[in-house]
Amino acid sequence: MSFEEFKPLNEKSLVEYIKATPALSSRIGDKYEDLLIKEVGDGNLNFVFIVVGSTGSLVIKQALPYIRCIGESWPMTKERAYFEATTLRKHGSLSPDHVPEVYHFDRTMALIGMRYLERPHIILRKGLIAGIEYPFLADHMSDYMAKTLFLTSLLYHDTTEHKRAVTEFCGNVELCRLTEQVVFSDPYRVSTFNRWTSPYLDDDAKAVREDITLKLEIAELKSMFCERAQALIHGDLHTGSVMVTQDSTQVIDPEFSFYGPMGFDIGAFLGNLILAFFAQDGHAAQGNDRREYKQWILRTIEQTWNMFNKRFIALWDQNKDGPGEAYLADIYNNAEVLQLVQENYMRNLLHDSLGFGAAKMIRRIVGVSHVEDFESIKEDKQRASCERKALEFGKMLLKERGKFKSIGEVVSAIQQHS
């Protein structure tokens, strides 16, 4: 069987493909008798095969030329696999403890072979729904974000290298356009793709579409998303793109990656933790009101930003005399001016992150793609009640993000809305 041109793989042709690819066959010791293959792609866009043998395992991810959950009526470039593989490798070199290793990439087949994150790894979102605490989550995610964002920005690179990298990732325009539509456009207009818990949230969805202040604010964020090539961002860093155990945190699925605003990644992660917080009342059971767990989520939100802030500044201090061209050492040449510049930068980044996080929250309640945190609440009325609190908080955060001086103030505001 030849793989000279693109074809979607099935379990049978996948074995032939692995046999023909030494970088993959060596991972399972060239043994095929006892191979277990399972297709587990629960996402919207791809085939994902888990391959487990007696001597090793791997994951094969293949991009399809359309959106899988909708079908061929919504075409989507399979070139996204190239950007995903490139970012997995780049982010993996910067944060190797938190990005699975890539073994093989085939551009023609739009296929990535990578490390299988074996059990007990589960998707973070599922852990949050189940009420499981992850003691290292804030530590690991802040480390991943500080390294991947700082080390791909002009704080670390010269403008020549930065422009070269930006140019390459401009090719991922189709997935950027998808984000522009579903995050920054559809929730604020009538769209056939929008849905919400009807009839309970009918008025709430209408209020979003008629809120002038909200529209002014989302325009600013859309402009930043489209125009600001600040760092190589993951582009879809919600709690469904993180796999966890008690002591491991792994970031997957960066197919939406491009050079964009850092706050879009930080906000996606924090915004999804806030959604998880507001969903908890819908998962409370007799004997477990989830009150303690909600406090753990709030601590995690606060610790994630505070540790990120600290680590980002530490990287800046270590590299202040390096090749980065954003703040030249002979201009920002004493401790006082450097500290002022850093405080300014981090304050703006916090506000960007809060704005993007709020935008992500709103779109998950009245837009096309919802989150399991709420969707798994069986009772419509109860789900709507949880969603409404999250929506109200998201709207406030989007409009008033500039008044928050610390993440602690944000956490207090979350508690007031709950």
Side-chain angles (χ1 to χ4, degrees):
M1 182 179 283
S2 107
F3 299 99
E4 302 299 307
E5 59 185 45
F6 177 82
K7 52 170 84 75
L9 290 177
N10 56 33
E11 293 185 12
K12 191 172 168 214
S13 55
L14 178 61
V15 174
E16 298 304 316
Y17 186 87
I18 293 170
K19 283 182 179 171
T21 312
L24 299 177
S25 55
S26 62
R27 291 279 161 188
I28 52 165
D30 261 329
K31 295 199 176 92
Y32 302 96
E33 312 74 63
D34 57 352
L35 270 197
L36 285 172
I37 299 178
K38 192 173 165 202
E39 206 281 310
V40 295
D42 64 347
N44 298 329
L45 298 170
N46 311 286
F47 279 137
V48 180
F49 297 97
I50 294 172
V51 181
V52 180
S54 55
T55 55
S57 60
L58 50 94
V59 162
I60 301 285
K61 182 170 179 180
Q62 186 179 35
L64 300 170
Y66 52 84
I67 295 186
R68 180 179 176 181
C69 65
I70 293 175
E72 296 185 25
S73 64
W74 192 332
M76 177 57 58
T77 174
K78 61 185 193 326
E79 270 300 285
R80 63 185 187 271
Y82 167 78
F83 297 104
E84 175 167 10
T86 305
T87 299
L88 281 169
R89 285 173 168 156
K90 179 64 181 173
H91 283 177
S93 72
L94 303 174
S95 181
D97 293 341
H98 304 302
V99 181
E101 185 187 347
V102 173
Y103 305 144
H104 171 72
F105 173 62
D106 180 335
R107 197 162 185 172
T108 305
M109 289 287 285
L111 180 148
I112 306 170
M114 65 185 119
R115 177 188 162 194
Y116 169 47
L117 298 168
E118 67 295 329
R119 287 191 167 282
H121 280 96
I122 62 165
I123 295 286
L124 172 58
R125 193 183 301 285
K126 292 186 183 298
L128 294 168
I129 293 167
I132 303 168
E133 292 185 17
Y134 295 100
F136 295 105
L137 182 62
D139 180 13
H140 291 171
M141 287 303 294
S142 59
D143 190 58
Y144 164 83
M145 292 191 296
K147 286 172 178 162
T148 56
L149 297 175
F150 181 90
L151 296 170
T152 59
S153 77
L154 282 171
L155 296 168
Y156 186 73
H157 283 155
D158 64 54
T159 48
T160 310
E161 162 58 23
H162 194 72
K163 285 276 198 290
R164 184 209 61 74
V166 170
T167 306
E168 178 182 14
F169 273 87
C170 282
N172 206 13
V173 58
E174 267 198 57
L175 270 75
C176 288
R177 284 184 63 81
L178 183 58
T179 302
E180 288 159 32
Q181 178 184 332
V182 300
V183 176
F184 300 106
S185 304
D186 280 355
Y188 305 92
R189 63 183 176 189
V190 174
S191 163
T192 50
F193 297 109
N194 290 344
R195 63 185 182 83
W196 52 85
T197 304
S198 188
Y200 301 102
L201 296 184
D202 289 1
D203 290 345
D204 304 77
K206 185 167 183 269
V208 170
R209 298 194 301 269
E210 293 175 356
D211 190 322
I212 292 169
T213 314
L214 216 50
K215 289 181 177 185
L216 293 176
E217 293 300 334
I218 203 70
E220 301 243 325
L221 290 168
K222 182 178 183 180
S223 162
M224 198 189 304
F225 179 83
C226 297
E227 295 157 2
R228 185 153 199 214
Q230 198 175 18
L232 178 56
I233 66 172
H234 177 286
D236 199 27
L237 193 55
H238 54 75
T239 50
S241 296
V242 182
M243 295 194 73
V244 286
T245 67
Q246 284 298 296
D247 53 13
S248 164
T249 307
Q250 303 289 325
V251 178
I252 59 170
D253 293 352
E255 61 197 339
F256 283 81
S257 56
F258 75 112
Y259 274 77
M262 297 179 185
F264 194 73
D265 272 5
I266 304 161
F269 184 66
L270 296 180
N272 274 262
L273 287 178
I274 300 171
L275 288 177
F277 172 87
F278 281 109
Q280 289 304 313
D281 287 354
H283 299 297
Q286 246 180 331
N288 182 4
D289 60 9
R290 294 281 179 114
R291 195 172 301 173
E292 276 181 40
Y293 192 62
K294 285 162 77 172
Q295 290 306 307
W296 175 81
I297 295 177
L298 294 179
R299 283 198 303 278
T300 301
I301 290 167
E302 192 159 358
Q303 288 168 1
T304 299
W305 171 263
N306 286 337
M307 291 164 102
F308 166 80
N309 190 356
K310 201 170 153 193
R311 285 176 163 146
F312 195 92
I313 294 294
L315 285 167
W316 193 333
D317 289 340
Q318 286 159 25
N319 292 283
K320 68 178 192 292
D321 299 313
E325 291 194 323
Y327 298 96
L328 298 171
D330 55 354
I331 301 175
Y332 303 91
N333 53 0
N334 64 52
E336 185 192 0
V337 68
L338 186 63
Q339 190 184 340
L340 285 170
V341 155
Q342 288 176 337
E343 284 171 2
N344 216 7
Y345 194 99
M346 299 312 287
R347 182 172 55 250
N348 289 336
L349 184 50
L350 175 62
H351 294 157
D352 293 351
S353 302
L354 297 178
F356 285 122
K360 300 282 254 179
M361 289 176 67
I362 292 166
R363 77 91 162 200
R364 292 295 195 177
I365 297 164
V366 296
V368 57
S369 181
H370 288 218
V371 290
E372 197 183 332
D373 309 67
F374 291 130
E375 297 290 284
S376 56
I377 299 169
K378 305 252 188 314
E379 195 70 42
D380 282 5
K381 198 169 180 180
Q382 188 181 27
R383 182 186 331 117
S385 164
C386 295
E387 288 175 324
R388 182 176 292 113
K389 287 178 185 171
L391 183 60
E392 287 302 312
F393 178 79
K395 285 160 59 175
M396 181 282 295
L397 192 59
L398 187 50
K399 293 173 186 176
E400 299 179 30
R401 64 189 183 279
K403 76 172 196 191
F404 292 96
K405 295 184 183 66
S406 71
I407 194 73
E409 291 180 9
V410 179
V411 166
S412 298
I414 296 170
Q415 285 174 299
Q416 282 160 19
H417 273 78
S418 67

